[in-house]
Amino acid sequence: MSNCTDSTAQLSIKPVTRVGFLLLDHFTMIALASSIEPLRMANQLSAKELYSWHVITETGAPVFASDGLSLTPDSSIKDAPELDMIVVVGGVNITRNFNDKQVSWLQKKARKGVNLGAICTGAYVLAYAGLLDGYHCSVHWECLTILQENFPKVNCNNRLFSINEERFTSSGGSAPLDMFLTLIAREHGSKLSCAVSDMFICDRIRTESDQQRALLRQVNNGGSFKPKLVDVIELMENNLEEPIDLDELAVFVDVSRRQLERMFHKYLDCSPSRYYLRLRLDRARQLLKQSSMSVVEISAACGFISTPHFSRCYRKHIGLSPRDERKMIWSNDGLKPQAINQEKALLSEQVNPFVMLNQEHASLALSNAQAEPSFGSIDLEYDLTCSRVNY
């Protein structure tokens, strides 16, 4: 059973909430399913049509998800019905997978008072449209850096989801499920929301206060860390542009520098300075792949004393120089043309997507993901530690 509290309000007679999902190219299927399925189950358990949903694309033509599968929408933005809520469904390479027509349509709906939301990386599009200025915003952590850099008026956070009066945003994966369970509880009571959660085998409904990334989860392997180590890493993550000296970090958490070094070696198998360096290089990779900032600007934004020093560290950590990384994405575009041609063929009558081999789906998805900062970020020949990062 999920750990839901009281049973609150009884179901009352309310008009059906009409929810539209605007699918962007290469949206993530898991985020879409995590949003629609709780609405379906709320209807099923209540034996009432509390929600309806409508899938929309710009032209009404099918679009590809990030996994290479295509989905046929119900309508185009031009023919979409009246809606109470519109959710922008983002996915990979978000900065290049939307256009002015979609932005104008969202702005028009906002002027009409339609509640607007976004899941996964979709918040970037709402921010670009100027529709999140002054609002709290959650977005997939991989998109958080570029959204903060490009739209300083948006109150970005690292939470699973954020619900404002007229805006609601969620990070990716299964987080939209928690956001929609919360919305269901607010509109129809927690008894229904808890029942939906139980149907989906959720041990609890996560709240707005839950963070996207549990610190050190990738290297923790189920163990436990000292709270002071977590505090130090939080300080590092919040001070990448102007790195804090290790002696100062030790003072902030009330340990000696030697104790700090021992904690890092014991739990992370590397020195504090190397871990700090990796955080800064990971931020640099996000900016290189998602923004048009120059290498010099990125070097300064990530706390490097000079561009040559940044380039040397980046090459050792990533395996190629910052300029080569940028050139692959923004100039040559890597495997992208091949992926586009595959998509055009599949969406035409030349190829039946239902007979497409699984390997072709996987190849298409991998090609489209090349612009993502996480592309190739884990080397399976090495353990998940920072021991590979050298000065």
Side-chain angles (χ1 to χ4, degrees):
M1 296 288 290
S2 59
N3 64 337
C4 300
T5 57
D6 66 37
S7 61
T8 71
Q10 296 180 344
L11 294 178
S12 57
I13 299 175
K14 294 182 179 180
V16 175
T17 300
R18 301 162 298 179
V19 187
F21 292 91
L22 175 62
L23 305 186
L24 304 181
D25 288 341
H26 309 130
F27 70 94
T28 49
M29 192 75 79
I30 187 173
L32 178 65
S34 295
S35 303
I36 293 179
E37 284 299 299
L39 305 181
R40 175 187 70 84
M41 188 55 65
N43 288 355
Q44 176 178 318
L45 295 178
S46 66
K48 302 173 190 271
E49 188 177 346
L50 304 177
Y51 298 95
S52 65
W53 49 92
H54 196 86
V55 178
I56 306 162
T57 63
E58 180 200 345
T59 63
V63 295
F64 276 92
S66 59
D67 56 14
L69 300 176
S70 64
L71 191 149
T72 301
D74 299 309
S75 74
S76 67
I77 56 177
K78 180 180 178 180
D79 301 323
E82 292 297 316
L83 299 164
D84 302 302
M85 303 163 57
I86 295 173
V87 183
V88 182
V89 187
V92 301
N93 204 6
I94 186 61
T95 59
R96 308 175 75 182
N97 278 326
F98 67 95
N99 58 48
D100 290 340
K101 288 184 179 180
Q102 294 163 332
V103 169
S104 297
W105 183 70
L106 291 168
Q107 291 169 334
K108 178 181 177 181
K109 295 301 179 182
R111 289 193 294 271
K112 290 186 175 181
V114 177
N115 290 338
L116 298 177
I119 55 179
C120 195
T121 60
Y124 187 91
V125 180
L126 291 182
Y128 182 92
L131 300 174
L132 287 179
D133 290 356
Y135 289 99
H136 294 287
C137 168
S138 298
V139 68
H140 190 282
W141 58 265
E142 197 169 57
C143 184
L144 184 59
T145 295
I146 189 60
L147 199 151
Q148 290 173 319
E149 288 286 337
N150 288 351
F151 311 108
K153 293 182 180 180
V154 179
N155 299 324
C156 298
N157 59 61
N158 192 44
R159 298 197 296 265
L160 286 178
F161 60 91
S162 298
I163 299 176
N164 303 270
E165 187 173 350
E166 300 171 334
R167 301 288 184 267
F168 52 98
T169 52
S170 170
S171 56
S174 62
L177 172 63
D178 299 282
M179 181 175 73
F180 275 91
L181 287 171
T182 300
L183 291 171
I184 289 170
R186 292 187 180 187
E187 190 165 0
H188 298 290
S190 63
K191 180 178 181 179
L192 177 61
S193 180
C194 289
V196 173
S197 174
D198 284 339
M199 289 295 288
F200 293 143
I201 325 297
C202 298
D203 61 343
R204 73 181 182 96
I205 300 175
R206 295 175 294 180
T207 69
E208 286 184 79
S209 62
D210 282 285
Q211 300 291 301
Q212 288 188 57
R213 305 182 74 190
L215 280 171
L216 312 172
R217 176 164 46 200
Q218 288 183 304
V219 291
N220 190 3
N221 295 324
S224 59
F225 288 97
K226 288 184 177 295
K228 290 184 181 295
L229 179 59
V230 174
D231 291 341
V232 170
I233 292 175
E234 286 182 335
L235 284 169
M236 289 178 172
E237 290 182 334
N238 293 326
N239 294 274
L240 299 180
E241 186 169 355
E242 297 182 5
I244 302 174
D245 181 81
L246 295 185
D247 288 323
E248 292 183 66
L249 285 172
V251 170
F252 282 140
V253 296
D254 195 27
V255 297
S256 68
R257 175 166 176 153
R258 180 58 184 153
Q259 287 176 306
L260 184 65
E261 290 172 342
R262 281 200 296 265
M263 283 192 294
F264 270 85
H265 281 291
K266 178 178 180 179
Y267 294 104
L268 297 172
D269 194 27
C270 69
S271 67
S273 59
R274 288 189 176 182
Y275 190 89
Y276 210 166
L277 174 62
R278 189 178 75 169
L279 290 177
R280 291 156 56 206
L281 290 171
D282 287 345
R283 169 69 63 84
R285 194 177 202 207
Q286 290 179 321
L287 293 174
L288 280 165
K289 289 201 166 192
Q290 295 179 330
S291 79
S292 58
M293 293 171 65
S294 69
V295 173
V296 174
E297 290 173 324
I298 292 173
S299 172
C302 298
F304 290 90
I305 58 175
S306 69
T307 303
H309 178 233
F310 167 56
S311 296
R312 287 195 301 272
C313 293
Y314 196 91
R315 183 183 290 275
K316 288 181 180 180
H317 179 60
I318 305 298
L320 71 167
S321 71
R323 296 187 188 280
D324 288 341
E325 181 91 89
R326 168 64 59 77
K327 188 184 299 183
M328 287 179 61
I329 300 304
W330 292 98
S331 297
N332 298 332
D333 215 11
L335 298 175
K336 191 71 174 178
Q338 176 188 351
I340 292 174
N341 290 334
Q342 282 182 279
E343 290 183 350
K344 288 181 177 178
L346 286 169
L347 292 177
S348 71
E349 296 180 358
Q350 300 175 28
V351 180
N352 182 352
F354 293 103
V355 299
M356 187 179 182
L357 297 177
N358 288 337
Q359 181 57 42
E360 291 173 316
H361 285 311
S363 298
L364 178 61
L366 189 61
S367 297
N368 287 326
Q370 185 171 346
E372 292 299 288
S374 59
F375 185 85
S377 62
I378 295 180
D379 191 334
L380 298 180
E381 295 181 4
Y382 293 85
D383 191 12
L384 286 176
T385 68
C386 50
S387 56
R388 295 177 60 205
V389 183
N390 298 303
Y391 289 105

